[in-house]
Amino acid sequence: MDTSNKAVIENPVMLPGTEPASGQRPSTIKKAIVEAFIKLNPAVMIKNPVMFTVEAGFFITLILTVFPGIFGEPSDRIYNGAVSMILLVTILFANFAEALAEGRGRAQAESLKKSKRDVEAKLLVKDGSIVPVFSPELRKGDIVLAEANDIIPGDGEVIEGVASVDESAITGESAPVIKEAGGDFCSVTGGTRVASDWIKIRITAEPGESFLDRMISMVEGAKRKKTPNEIALNTLLISLTLIFIVVCATLVPIGSYVDVHIPVSTLIALLVCLIPTTIGGLLSAIGIAGMDRVTKFNVIAMSGKAVEAAGDINTLILDKTGTITYGNRMASEFIPCGGYSIGELSEAAAESSLHDETPEGKSIIGLSKKLGERLPTVKNSIGIEFKAETRMSGTDFPDGRAVRKGAVDAVRRYVESFGGTIPGDMDKLAEGIAREGGTPLAVADGNKILGLVYLKDTVKPGMKERFAELRKMGIKTIMCTGDNPLTAATIAREAGVDDYIPEARPEDKLELIRREQGEGKLVAMSGDGTNDAPALAQADVGVAMNSGTAAAKEAANMVDLDSDPTKIIEVIAIGKQLLMTRGALTTFSIANDIAKYFAIIPAMLLLAIPEMESLNLMGLETPESAILSALIFNAVIIPILIPLAMKGIEYVPMSATKLLRKNLLIYGLGGVVVPFAGIKLIDLALAFVL
């Protein structure tokens, strides 16, 4: 596992039809350009009050250009026309940013729609016969048969049979997965294909309400709901806009009082430059792109609120098996007993695993290789499979020699049946392994027990480093496991989690989440079973595995198509990246108003009050070029920031204080300095042209 969040974020498994933010398809860009003009409709623009104000200014200056002097004042048609055109370009750039983000979502949705097709289903009726029907005719509760090469007609749960299912149409992964009745791997998705064998499926969704339908609606950015944080920021932007409208309106009577005439176009230019147009134009694109980044991880977020909540998570609850550990017991040590050497034990253990294809058997051979043992040949030997009755497995050789490995008590009985003796230190060594949370396997060569193999559920590489990163963010990690307290403590210590809950039941997880939330914390959790559904529903961010049950997927607000429980850590990183991007661009947008203030205010009053020249800190050439330069910078900064809004700010785990300091330094100070330089360069260019 890669321990770098940055590395993981840059190399996700791609949902069919997705593409990197930095590599937009030409067709998507062309559609976004067309959509930018369509969005000029005032009925659409009014949904974004900041940009609607800019559009209103565009119409007023356009009227002044076509009908000079309409407001009873001398009008400069060229100047008004220049202001009008710059305002139009500003609106188009903002619309383009939003359309580009929405277009990527639509492209993904179109790809998913190709997976959604009407197929013929084999409906099982009460008398046991099969009736062919088309998938739209199926209803919740219907039972269908799916055989090899059949397309699964709808979402459901396997109630009988075992089959290998190709889910590449949904996940992009070519390797089939096993689906069987009962347990946590019984859920199937409409549009996937049965690769082999057969299964009977109970349909769990009505037409139009399937998982694929919900995926399509979620990735279509235009249909998304604004998140609470986005609504709050939008309210702030509207408030600032109203304040600056009042400020600009009061300049007219104040100017008249001191005998200073301010042209309407100049007032509109001042208003547009002072209101937060940069973040106003990019706000929607940032939210849509955040959802898109989650989708690129093959995670479907059922709401933008869940993505944002992930960025504010305080507590992360994880299962042990399959999440923190591999879930398979692995050989970690050979412990000889009875005076035998580690070499003798290692050789016998490897011989007993020659025909063992389980993860345990392979890990024993792997450990023996590390110790430099030469593996025996499989030729002419006979493998003895593990059985629940014997609780042993092993190998019989042509010369009559037999080696066995298995549970300590089972191997003891096996050796005693041949008249062998039990090493005096075996029981003590076995108890020591158990106390450390491991599983002891005894190894016998004929009627001699050579020693023990220490099996333990191995912690995945890099988990300790990843939990350390979460700790830097202020996120508390809690491991929930059904293991005994001793085993749980051992794994928790190795993994580096902050706390653990041993012998955890479903109600214990639910109670833990409620307790954390009662302390004002936001909680994230991953799960896949029906017994996880209450906790997933209670958590602020619940990530269900696609391989899990329908109940778990219904309860969660995110679904991981790859069924990787550790991916919740990436989801948290993306949530934080979304919040950081929005906060940073808001800081930049408000900060760059300072430079535009020093450009336009002196230019407005310079002709009537020559003393205002002292405020012309940038040394701009003329009042008209100063105003046009500020307007042009205000327009071009939007497309310049589009890649940042779409890709997001690079996320590096750090405390909130350090993060605030960094953003203020880069985007706060940068938001002041960059416009000064940009406006001056544009002014020089205008002076050269004019």
Side-chain angles (χ1 to χ4, degrees):
M1 180 182 297
D2 195 318
T3 60
S4 166
N5 278 337
K6 180 177 182 293
V8 176
I9 287 177
E10 291 179 350
N11 296 283
V13 176
M14 303 293 281
L15 192 72
T18 61
E19 56 199 17
S22 59
Q24 297 292 338
R25 293 177 180 174
S27 59
T28 304
I29 294 176
K30 289 179 182 178
K31 289 179 182 178
I33 293 173
V34 174
E35 190 70 19
F37 282 92
I38 295 174
K39 286 177 177 287
L40 289 174
N41 182 349
V44 176
M45 291 298 300
I46 200 168
K47 297 177 183 178
N48 186 341
V50 175
M51 300 314 298
F52 179 74
T53 302
V54 179
E55 187 174 46
F58 158 70
F59 283 122
I60 294 172
T61 53
L62 181 63
I63 292 172
L64 288 172
T65 303
V66 178
F67 304 104
I70 191 171
F71 294 128
E73 60 174 31
S75 242
D76 185 338
R77 177 173 286 182
I78 296 177
Y79 172 69
N80 291 340
V83 172
S84 180
M85 288 303 299
I86 295 171
L87 294 183
L88 175 61
V89 171
T90 303
I91 302 165
L92 289 174
F93 280 154
N95 288 350
F96 175 76
E98 183 176 25
L100 191 62
E102 291 176 353
R104 291 168 64 192
R106 291 194 189 102
Q108 295 170 24
E110 288 301 319
S111 178
L112 290 170
K113 285 175 183 177
K114 293 177 182 178
S115 302
K116 185 177 183 296
R117 49 184 170 168
D118 294 345
V119 298
E120 188 174 279
K122 300 170 182 175
L123 177 64
L124 294 173
V125 294
K126 291 183 178 180
D127 62 4
S129 60
I130 296 176
V131 178
V133 298
F134 284 101
S135 52
E137 302 174 42
L138 295 174
R139 294 295 179 268
K140 189 174 182 179
D142 287 346
I143 297 175
V144 297
L145 173 67
E147 299 175 296
N149 296 317
D150 286 350
I151 301 296
I152 294 177
D155 292 0
E157 291 186 340
V158 179
I159 59 173
E160 186 179 338
V162 179
S164 177
V165 177
D166 177 5
E167 295 186 328
S168 58
I170 305 296
T171 67
E173 283 288 340
S174 58
V177 294
I178 302 299
K179 298 290 184 177
E180 58 185 332
D184 295 337
F185 296 93
C186 61
S187 176
V188 292
T189 305
T192 57
R193 182 179 64 85
V194 178
S196 64
D197 301 300
W198 61 270
I199 46 176
K200 289 183 181 179
I201 304 164
R202 180 186 291 113
I203 300 298
T204 57
E206 299 287 351
E209 299 176 1
S210 70
F211 180 61
L212 197 56
D213 290 317
R214 285 185 290 150
M215 284 173 61
I216 292 169
S217 66
M218 285 302 113
V219 297
E220 287 181 322
K223 295 183 180 180
R224 76 185 184 96
K225 293 182 180 179
K226 290 186 177 180
T227 64
N229 283 350
E230 193 173 347
I231 292 172
L233 181 55
N234 206 41
T235 303
L236 173 62
L237 299 182
I238 293 171
S239 301
L240 290 174
T241 301
L242 292 174
I243 291 171
F244 284 121
I245 288 175
V246 173
V247 169
C248 291
T250 58
L251 288 177
V252 176
I254 292 174
S256 299
Y257 181 75
V258 296
D259 201 24
V260 175
H261 175 71
I262 304 175
V264 173
S265 293
T266 300
L267 281 174
I268 291 173
L270 174 64
L271 173 62
V272 170
C273 284
L274 292 184
I275 62 177
T277 51
T278 305
I279 187 62
L282 295 173
L283 183 60
S284 182
I286 293 170
I288 296 171
M291 295 277 288
D292 178 65
R293 282 193 293 275
V294 174
T295 304
K296 279 185 168 57
F297 271 88
N298 273 5
V299 175
I300 300 300
M302 300 306 172
S303 70
K305 182 180 178 181
V307 180
E308 280 195 352
D312 287 327
I313 286 299
N314 305 108
T315 304
L316 174 59
I317 298 173
L318 305 105
D319 284 327
K320 181 201 73 141
T321 305
T323 303
I324 296 174
T325 66
Y326 282 111
N328 296 315
R329 298 177 303 173
M330 311 290 282
S332 63
E333 187 180 357
F334 292 128
I335 303 176
C337 57
Y340 294 101
S341 70
I342 194 169
E344 291 174 304
L345 172 60
S346 173
E347 182 180 359
E351 289 175 335
S352 69
S353 304
L354 283 176
H355 300 271
D356 189 347
E357 294 299 323
T358 67
E360 293 176 9
K362 291 178 179 179
S363 71
I364 289 173
I365 291 178
L367 181 59
S368 184
K369 284 182 179 179
K370 286 183 180 180
L371 295 176
E373 293 295 330
R374 185 176 60 83
L375 296 182
T377 178
V378 184
K379 187 177 181 181
N380 297 327
S381 63
I382 300 173
I384 306 301
E385 293 184 4
F386 176 88
K387 294 182 180 179
E389 298 82 13
T390 62
R391 295 163 64 208
M392 291 186 303
S393 63
T395 305
D396 288 345
F397 292 95
D399 59 3
R401 182 167 158 263
V403 288
R404 297 287 187 271
K405 69 175 189 297
V408 174
D409 57 336
V411 174
R412 178 199 297 270
R413 287 194 297 270
Y414 172 81
V415 169
E416 289 177 340
S417 68
F418 288 100
T421 58
I422 308 302
D425 55 349
M426 184 184 73
D427 289 337
K428 184 178 180 181
L429 292 171
E431 289 173 6
I433 293 173
R435 278 198 303 271
E436 293 180 8
T439 302
L441 277 187
V443 178
D445 185 347
N447 64 351
K448 302 176 300 217
I449 293 181
L450 306 182
L452 304 171
V453 180
Y454 184 172
L455 294 180
K456 68 176 182 178
D457 195 354
T458 308
V459 174
K460 294 180 179 179
M463 292 305 297
K464 196 164 190 174
E465 291 77 9
R466 302 194 76 182
F467 291 140
E469 290 179 358
L470 291 171
R471 199 170 295 112
K472 289 179 184 177
M473 305 177 214
I475 298 175
K476 179 183 179 182
T477 51
I478 302 176
M479 180 187 76
C480 287
T481 176
D483 289 336
N484 62 69
L486 189 58
T487 302
T490 302
I491 296 296
R493 184 171 59 254
E494 290 183 17
V497 295
D498 297 312
D499 200 358
Y500 64 94
I501 307 295
E503 300 175 343
R505 301 166 297 171
E507 51 266 36
D508 295 328
K509 296 179 183 179
L510 184 60
E511 177 58 31
L512 173 61
I513 293 172
R514 287 174 175 168
R515 186 169 66 248
E516 292 288 316
Q517 290 173 332
E519 296 174 3
K521 299 175 182 177
L522 294 182
V523 181
M525 180 193 166
S526 64
D528 58 2
T530 301
N531 59 356
D532 290 325
L536 287 169
Q538 182 68 35
D540 299 284
V541 178
V543 182
M545 303 299 103
N546 188 41
S547 61
T549 62
K553 289 191 280 189
E554 287 291 335
N557 48 28
M558 290 188 187
V559 176
D560 176 17
L561 302 182
D562 296 330
S563 302
D564 177 5
T566 63
K567 201 181 288 183
I568 193 170
I569 299 176
E570 273 70 54
V571 172
I572 291 174
I574 293 171
K576 287 190 175 293
Q577 188 182 43
L578 170 62
L579 297 176
M580 285 170 55
T581 303
R582 184 182 295 150
L585 291 184
T586 301
T587 302
F588 182 89
S589 176
I590 295 174
N592 69 27
D593 288 341
I594 298 174
K596 290 180 283 187
Y597 173 87
F598 278 102
I600 291 185
I601 294 296
M604 287 174 54
L605 305 176
L606 188 59
L607 294 178
I609 310 174
E611 291 80 3
M612 294 295 291
E613 177 65 32
S614 60
L615 289 180
N616 187 12
L617 301 179
M618 288 182 274
L620 303 177
E621 296 294 328
T622 65
E624 290 79 6
S625 72
I627 292 170
L628 292 178
S629 296
L631 271 182
I632 292 172
F633 176 84
N634 192 63
V636 300
I637 196 64
I638 293 177
I640 290 174
L641 292 175
I642 285 177
L644 183 61
M646 302 287 278
K647 185 178 181 181
I649 292 171
E650 180 182 339
Y651 170 69
V652 178
M654 63 178 66
S655 66
T657 304
K658 289 182 179 178
L659 185 60
L660 177 62
R661 190 183 302 122
K662 177 184 176 183
N663 282 348
L664 287 176
L665 180 63
I666 297 176
Y667 299 98
L669 184 60
V672 175
V673 174
V674 171
F676 273 96
I679 291 172
K680 179 61 179 178
L681 289 174
I682 296 171
D683 179 72
L684 291 173
L686 286 177
F688 177 78
V689 172
L690 299 176

